[in-house]
Amino acid sequence: MNIPSELKNVSLFRDIQMDKIEKLAKNLKTKSYEKEETVLYKGDPGTDLCIVLNGSFRGVLIDEDGDEILLYRFRKYDFFGEFSLIDQKERAGNIIADEDSILLKIGREPFFRMVHEEPKLAIAMMCVLTERLRKADELIESLAFLNVKDRIMKQLYEFALDSGEKAGQYYRIRKFTHQEISSMIGASRESVTKCLKILNIEGMIKIKGDSFYVKEPCHLY
């Protein structure tokens, strides 16, 4: 695996000269994780920035019953750990591998050394942090003002726009389990099950095999 070339695909490093990326990459190492292996636990110390080179991971909070609340999903060339990288405080959530995956870890010292040499790296980091804060605000607004049925529809439609395949009046996306959806929207699995039945009856979603078919909502959230 050519680490400098892989780093060039990460949004943070796209505008950084290759010779500086190659210098950074000399002392970096990759680590493999098996499906459902926990990478980080909430409260762990650590200041590494973790970049997904292969596979995917999910950032979650785990409640007292052991149920997950999904915060974010990280795919190839996404990264996480930026909060602890910056403020050196404890990890804010758990990170779990969705599948067999590979991470690249960058320590605080080499990262900030490059920031001093390339201020545009700090600007790129601020853009990412701003985007994530906006998503967090959207989640808070959704939890505060939308009922469970609307939150399900909003989440599935966002998936449809991001990675769905147009099929007539519907978008085809992969089928999620009721537990996965409940963790995405912060609702009980029982409530999700009831609302999915209602959405199916209303024709807003269809379930066929391993796919959801999601109809474009008639109103904006």
Side-chain angles (χ1 to χ4, degrees), residues 69-70 139 143 148 151 181-188:
I69 299 174
L70 181 68
L139 176 60
L143 291 173
V148 173
R151 295 201 321 252
I181 296 173
S182 71
S183 70
M184 292 175 194
I185 67 168
S188 70

Side-chain angles (χ1 to χ4, degrees), residues 1-17:
M1 182 179 293
N2 188 320
I3 298 301
S5 295
E6 293 291 327
L7 280 174
K8 196 67 175 173
N9 291 309
V10 179
S11 60
L12 284 179
F13 300 101
R14 282 177 188 153
D15 295 328
I16 306 300
Q17 296 178 358

Side-chain angles (χ1 to χ4, degrees), residues 178-209:
H178 294 192
Q179 184 59 55
E180 285 177 318
I181 296 173
S182 71
S183 70
M184 292 175 194
I185 67 168
S188 70
R189 186 172 58 183
E190 292 76 11
S191 296
V192 168
T193 298
K194 291 177 182 177
C195 290
L196 283 174
K197 289 180 180 178
I198 294 172
L199 287 168
N200 189 32
I201 292 171
E202 292 176 342
M204 295 305 298
I205 66 168
K206 295 181 180 180
I207 304 171
K208 297 181 181 179

Side-chain angles (χ1 to χ4, degrees), residues 36 38 40-44 57-74 83 90-96 98 136 139-140 143 179-187:
E36 294 304 315
T38 299
L40 300 171
Y41 289 92
K42 185 177 186 296
D44 277 352
F57 298 81
R58 64 187 185 274
V60 301
L61 294 176
I62 299 178
D63 65 21
E64 57 187 17
D65 296 322
D67 293 326
E68 293 181 2
I69 299 174
L70 181 68
L71 301 177
Y72 211 89
R73 201 172 294 278
F74 304 96
F83 288 168
E90 297 175 343
R91 301 295 188 181
N94 292 30
I95 302 291
I96 303 171
D98 281 328
L139 176 60
I140 293 169
L143 291 173
Q179 184 59 55
E180 285 177 318
I181 296 173
S182 71
S183 70
M184 292 175 194
I185 67 168

